[in-house]
């Protein structure tokens, strides 16, 4: 598939998903704020169009603005999510018409672009950036659906409930250098760049993400009542937020646990990766298990390093784009698959489901790589460096393949758990294992 055809495909897929997440709701649900953590869905819809107008229509295309009067309304840095319902936003009819108009103009810009020349057009970067931006907001809108109360409106096939038996619980990753980050991937974003060599001491990492069943052992063992398992900040947050279990879990009091997914309660599946836990919960579990969370470099080496060639792959399975046999991505299902469901997607050393299912917390703060250069705007990454964020890796069932690769970096506050976040543990090698 050529670059132009790829651009057309990813933009079309993104818009189809945006429509699916907004057309299923009536206007009152679109303008409502379902959580102070999230924007009204109608804000996300128009913001998607506004970013596309700014970068594709005005910047790449050099065309006249469609609605320059609304730029400030849809600038994510001008207004907090909590405050957005009070703004004079476009109503659902106006927002849909706006994004349609912008997309028509964007198609015209694509038709006349050589996809060559300046850094925004070379290899279709700006078009790929906008497709990634729309899919990132689609995942945010999916999280809003999870927070929404009321009758269920989303449907999908059931994620795989049977997986292969994973041979080892843990995998040893040998000491040595590997290439971290990306320089040659034409659609990699600025915080993934540049590629650089990192030395990682030998370590052990879980072969699969932590499951509901394993996490339930932590809950049953009093994990939420034992301050010695938590960091000082983590325990303070656990107490203030009154955390007792992952978000959307509920017990019937008789030993059975349920989880609500997009308005549908279902019994907790013990072999699914745990989802909707914050960094502090993941950190406490790891300490309970006599382990720790992996660093970002450890996670990426486990996901990308090929011991046979000594090179870094684009994905755990190789350089080919994901397909349905390799990872649970793209909102095909409304939840994680069981562990072992994607054996073809395992890394060369046998680490499973590093891509898809759940975002995985790492212990690393969000910081720039050596030689980082902001592109094409500071507000995508640079303004977040040094803040109170932890890096997540790997993507979730709600992440589109265009916005997921072995180098992709997500980040969020350590208290956040409305995102589709899980984790796996790591540990140092013991003396007899060396």
């Amino acid at each position: 598939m050529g670059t132009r055809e790829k651009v057309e495909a990813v933009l079309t897929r993104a818009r189809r998903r945006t429509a699916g997440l907004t057309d299923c709701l009536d206007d009152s649900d679109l303008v409502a704020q379902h959580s102070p953590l999230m924007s009204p869905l109608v804000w996300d819809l128009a913001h998607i169009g506004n970013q596309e107008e700014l970068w594709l229509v005005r910047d790449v295309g050099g065309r006249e603005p469609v609605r320059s009067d609304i730029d400030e309304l849809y600038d994510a840095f001008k207004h907090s999510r909590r405050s957005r319902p009070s703004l004079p936003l476009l109503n659902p009819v106006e927002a849909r018409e706006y994004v349609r108009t912008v997309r028509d103009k964007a198609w015209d810009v694509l038709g006349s672009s050589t996809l060559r020349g300046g850094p925004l057009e070379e290899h279709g970067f700006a078009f790929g950036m906008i497709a990634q931006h729309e899919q990132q907001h689609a995942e945010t809108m999916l999280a809003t659906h999870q927070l929404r109360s009321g009758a269920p409106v989303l449907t999908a096939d059931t994620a795989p409930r049977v997986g292969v038996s994973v041979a080892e619980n843990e995998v040893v990753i040998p000491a040595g250098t590997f290439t971290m980050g990306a320089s040659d991937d034409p659609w990699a974003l600025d915080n993934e760049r540049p590629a650089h060599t990192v030395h990682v001491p030998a370590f052990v990492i879980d072969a699969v993400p932590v499951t509901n069943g394993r996490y339930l052992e932590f809950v049953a063992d009093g994990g939420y009542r034992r301050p010695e398992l938590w960091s000082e900040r983590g325990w303070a947050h656990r107490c203030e937020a009154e955390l007792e279990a992952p978000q959307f879990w509920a017990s019937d009091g008789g030993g059975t646990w349920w989880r609500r997914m997009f308005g549908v309660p279902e019994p907790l599946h013990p072999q699914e990766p745990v989802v909707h836990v914050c960094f502090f919960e993941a950190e406490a579990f790891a300490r309970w298990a006599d382990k720790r969370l992996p660093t970002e470099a450890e996670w990426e080496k486990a996901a990308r390093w090929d011991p046979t060639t000594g090179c870094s792959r684009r994905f755990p399975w190789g350089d080919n784009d994901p397909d349905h046999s390799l990872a649970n991505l793209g909102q095909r299902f409304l939840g994680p698959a069981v562990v072992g469901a994607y054996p073809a997607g395992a890394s060369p050393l046998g680490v499973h489901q590093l891509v898809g299912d759940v975002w995985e917390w790492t212990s690393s703060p969000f910081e720039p790589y050596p030689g980082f250069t902001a592109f094409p705007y500071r507000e995508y990454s640079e303004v977040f460096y040094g803040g109170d964020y932890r890096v997540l890796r790997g993507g979730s069932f709600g992440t589109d393949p265009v916005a997921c690769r072995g180098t992709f970096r997500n980040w969020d506050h350590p208290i956040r758990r409305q995102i589709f976040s899980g984790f796996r543990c790591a540990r140092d090698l013991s003396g007899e294992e060396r």
Side-chain angles (χ1 to χ4, degrees):
M1 182 185 295
T3 300
R4 193 175 306 276
E5 291 74 23
K6 182 179 179 182
V7 166
E8 291 172 351
V10 296
L11 287 175
T12 299
R13 187 170 74 231
R15 187 53 46 86
R16 186 185 307 120
R17 186 177 180 199
T18 296
L21 289 165
T22 53
D23 290 351
C24 60
L25 297 171
D26 61 26
D27 286 2
S28 62
D29 259 341
L30 288 174
V31 302
Q33 186 168 50
H34 299 285
S35 165
L37 295 174
M38 313 303 279
S39 307
L41 289 167
V42 75
W43 185 92
D44 285 289
L45 177 60
H47 170 76
I48 286 167
N50 187 244
Q51 287 292 106
E52 188 167 322
E53 180 187 353
L54 290 172
W55 290 103
L56 299 188
V57 177
R58 298 189 207 171
D59 200 316
V60 174
R63 312 297 169 88
E64 289 297 314
V66 178
R67 289 290 305 266
S68 58
D69 57 308
I70 63 173
D71 289 351
E72 185 171 324
L73 288 176
Y74 296 101
D75 185 331
F77 288 88
K78 297 281 188 183
H79 309 282
S80 68
R81 289 180 176 181
R82 182 183 294 271
S83 69
R84 289 169 189 169
S86 65
L87 300 173
L89 303 176
L90 300 182
N91 65 40
V93 172
E94 293 169 329
R96 289 188 176 105
E97 179 59 31
Y98 173 59
V99 297
R100 275 196 297 269
T101 300
V102 170
R103 177 53 58 89
D104 287 344
K105 291 181 180 295
W107 287 137
D108 187 50
V109 172
L110 176 62
S112 61
S113 173
T114 62
L115 304 180
R116 290 284 192 184
L120 278 177
E121 285 192 82
E122 189 70 27
H123 300 298
F125 174 82
F127 297 93
M129 178 184 73
I130 287 300
Q132 292 182 75
H133 174 264
E134 181 162 357
Q135 289 287 9
Q136 288 167 355
H137 273 272
E139 185 166 356
T140 298
M141 291 192 288
L142 186 65
T144 302
H145 273 270
Q146 171 67 345
L147 290 162
R148 170 185 167 270
S149 60
V153 295
L154 297 179
T155 59
D157 292 336
T158 301
R161 289 290 188 264
V162 178
V164 302
S165 177
V166 177
E168 302 291 339
N169 293 328
E170 298 178 318
V171 174
V172 175
I173 309 297
T177 59
F178 85 107
T179 299
M180 185 174 184
S183 289
D184 298 331
D185 192 316
W187 288 2
L189 303 173
D190 62 1
N191 63 61
E192 301 171 65
R193 300 174 182 272
H196 56 290
T197 300
V198 176
H199 182 272
V200 179
F203 69 101
V204 178
I205 193 166
D206 289 351
V208 298
V210 171
T211 62
N212 288 328
R214 183 71 171 133
Y215 197 88
L216 195 54
E217 295 177 31
F218 167 72
V219 175
D221 196 39
Y224 282 86
R225 299 186 299 276
R226 296 169 57 182
E228 72 273 13
L229 298 175
W230 299 70
S231 67
E232 183 176 350
R233 280 191 65 201
W235 182 250
H237 174 67
R238 191 220 71 77
C239 295
E240 181 182 4
E242 299 181 339
L243 304 183
E244 298 288 347
Q247 192 170 11
F248 309 113
W249 280 29
S251 172
D252 65 3
T256 300
W257 283 84
W258 294 73
R259 180 183 66 187
R260 180 175 61 83
M261 290 295 282
F262 303 102
V264 178
E266 55 187 28
L268 204 64
H269 195 297
Q271 289 301 106
E272 284 182 8
V274 66
V275 63
H276 295 300
V277 291
C278 70
F279 170 83
F280 293 132
E281 290 169 293
E283 186 182 48
F285 175 97
R287 189 169 290 118
W288 171 81
D290 293 323
K291 297 185 180 184
R292 57 177 173 80
L293 295 179
T295 67
E296 185 180 11
E298 288 174 336
W299 189 98
E300 187 170 324
K301 184 173 183 180
R304 299 185 61 214
W305 182 67
D306 183 345
T308 301
T309 64
C311 297
S312 292
R313 300 172 162 196
R314 192 159 176 255
F315 293 99
W317 54 82
D319 294 330
N320 294 332
D321 288 340
D323 64 30
H324 297 341
S325 71
L326 297 170
N328 178 10
L329 292 165
Q331 201 187 311
R332 292 183 61 233
F333 312 115
L334 292 175
V338 298
V339 295
Y342 295 92
S347 74
L349 289 174
V351 188
H352 288 245
Q353 283 158 281
L354 285 155
V355 169
D357 289 302
V358 291
W359 287 102
E360 298 186 11
W361 288 107
T362 74
S363 63
S364 297
F366 185 52
E367 297 288 354
Y369 290 158
F372 166 82
T373 300
F375 177 77
Y377 59 111
R378 293 184 61 248
E379 289 78 10
Y380 181 70
S381 303
E382 187 175 18
V383 297
F384 295 99
Y385 291 144
D388 185 26
Y389 302 100
R390 288 293 184 274
V391 173
L392 301 103
R393 288 301 204 102
S396 77
F397 66 89
T399 306
D400 187 81
V402 76
C404 185
R405 50 199 159 263
T407 58
F408 191 91
R409 307 173 77 195
N410 190 7
W411 65 96
D412 214 329
H413 294 291
I415 64 172
R416 294 288 185 252
R417 60 182 194 161
Q418 85 281 3
I419 57 178
F420 303 115
S421 51
F423 64 102
R424 74 181 71 218
C425 297
R427 62 179 176 85
D428 299 334
L429 282 173
S430 63
E432 59 268 22
E433 291 173 309
R434 293 182 185 277

